[in-house]
């Protein structure tokens, strides 16, 4: 009986330990969340490493659709309608894909954001696609990276880089005049709340 209890205790301890740790991922998953205008943008993607390989034109072939990361497809969520590189995109979650060439990338938003890689990619599900230039980095980017860099309070850039390549997509509110009006109303409400708080003190 004591042996059984001891075994159960060890098993329970091992289970608890296993819940806190996992086998290191070859391409770790990362979620990037950035305040954008009146809402936020979230990017969920896998981060493969260069690991001495030739990336673009070999591991990632030119002129073929790529998942923009590793493992399950990259997901991007917009909390409000945005101007994505000059094209309007409704609020929601999309799959982010890239068709690379040596000098430019076609960046695609697709309705299917739950697929593994790009194996079941269907161009009929594309929402928008834009073509952006590729710039050469001064230093190698070992791990694939997607960042969201604000340029002002209502706009920013989606920056994608890996190995020696970097591309950017401009992001702005789809209806900036509406955003301005709402922001003004929100400021009025904040002032009313602040004045009310002061009058009570």
């Amino acid at each position: 009986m004591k042996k059984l209890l001891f075994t159960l205790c060890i098993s329970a301890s091992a289970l608890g330990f296993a819940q806190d740790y996992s086998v290191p991922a070859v391409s770790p998953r990362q979620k990037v969340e950035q305040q954008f205008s009146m809402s936020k943008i979230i990017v969920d993607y896998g981060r493969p490493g260069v690991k001495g390989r030739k990336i673009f034109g070999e591991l990632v072939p030119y002129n073929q659709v790529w998942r923009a990361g590793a493992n399950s497809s990259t997901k991007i969520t917009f909390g409000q309608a945005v101007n994505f590189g000059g094209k309007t995109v409704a609020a929601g979650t999309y799959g982010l894909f890239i068709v690379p060439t040596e000098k430019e990338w076609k960046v695609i938003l697709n309705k299917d954001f739950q697929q593994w890689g790009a194996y079941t990619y269907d161009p009929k599900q594309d929402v928008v696609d834009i073509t952006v230039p590729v710039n050469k980095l001064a230093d190698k980017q070992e791990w694939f990276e997607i960042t969201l860099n604000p340029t002002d309070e209502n706009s920013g850039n989606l920056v994608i880089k890996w190995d020696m390549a970097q591309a950017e997509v401009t992001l702005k509110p789809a209806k900036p005049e509406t955003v301005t009006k709402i922001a003004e109303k929100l400021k009025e409400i904040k002032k009313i709340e602040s004045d009310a708080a002061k009058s009570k003190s």
Side-chain angles (χ1 to χ4, degrees):
M1 187 65 178
K2 287 182 179 179
K3 285 184 179 180
L4 178 60
L5 287 172
F6 179 76
T7 303
L8 288 171
C9 288
I10 293 296
S11 299
S13 298
L15 183 60
F17 181 84
Q19 288 174 343
D20 293 331
Y21 295 91
S22 60
V23 175
V26 175
S27 300
R29 201 78 186 172
Q30 183 169 53
K31 184 178 284 188
V32 179
E33 184 175 311
Q34 175 70 51
Q35 177 72 30
F36 175 78
S37 187
M38 298 182 302
S39 61
K40 60 185 175 182
I41 297 174
I42 301 170
V43 184
D44 183 338
Y45 69 105
R47 301 191 64 189
V50 174
K51 301 176 182 177
R53 301 171 293 183
K54 182 180 178 182
I55 301 302
F56 296 104
E58 196 165 295
L59 180 68
V60 178
Y62 288 140
N63 299 305
Q64 291 184 31
V65 69
W66 172 51
R67 72 189 91 185
N71 303 323
S72 59
S73 61
T74 294
K75 296 188 284 289
I76 186 165
T77 301
F78 302 112
Q80 68 188 74
V82 300
N83 179 309
F84 185 82
K87 296 185 179 181
T88 300
V89 178
T93 301
Y94 303 93
L96 177 68
F97 298 90
I98 293 171
V99 177
T101 66
E102 189 174 358
K103 295 184 178 180
E104 58 187 22
W105 290 353
K106 180 190 285 186
V107 183
I108 302 164
L109 297 182
N110 188 277
K111 291 178 183 176
D112 186 357
F113 58 87
Q114 295 181 312
Q115 58 185 288
W116 181 268
Y119 301 109
T120 58
Y121 167 77
D122 180 0
K124 293 178 182 177
Q125 297 291 308
D126 288 351
V127 177
V128 297
D129 66 73
I130 60 162
T131 300
V132 294
V134 174
N135 298 311
K136 188 171 183 179
L137 293 169
D139 299 306
K140 180 182 286 188
Q141 175 70 35
E142 174 64 26
W143 296 93
F144 177 71
E145 182 178 65
I146 299 177
T147 53
L148 295 159
N149 293 337
T151 52
D152 62 39
E153 61 184 13
N154 277 312
S155 61
N157 293 321
L158 178 74
V159 183
I160 305 167
K161 54 187 176 181
W162 195 23
D163 196 9
M164 301 301 294
Q166 173 177 303
E168 297 185 9
V169 179
T170 58
L171 300 169
K172 299 177 181 178
K175 298 180 178 179
E177 63 285 347
T178 302
V179 169
T180 300
K181 288 178 182 178
I182 293 172
E184 287 172 355
K185 292 296 181 184
L186 289 172
K187 286 176 182 177
E188 288 177 17
I189 292 169
K190 288 287 185 183
K191 188 177 185 307
I192 291 168
E193 290 175 343
S194 177
D195 291 344
K198 287 177 183 177
S199 65
K200 288 180 181 179
S201 59

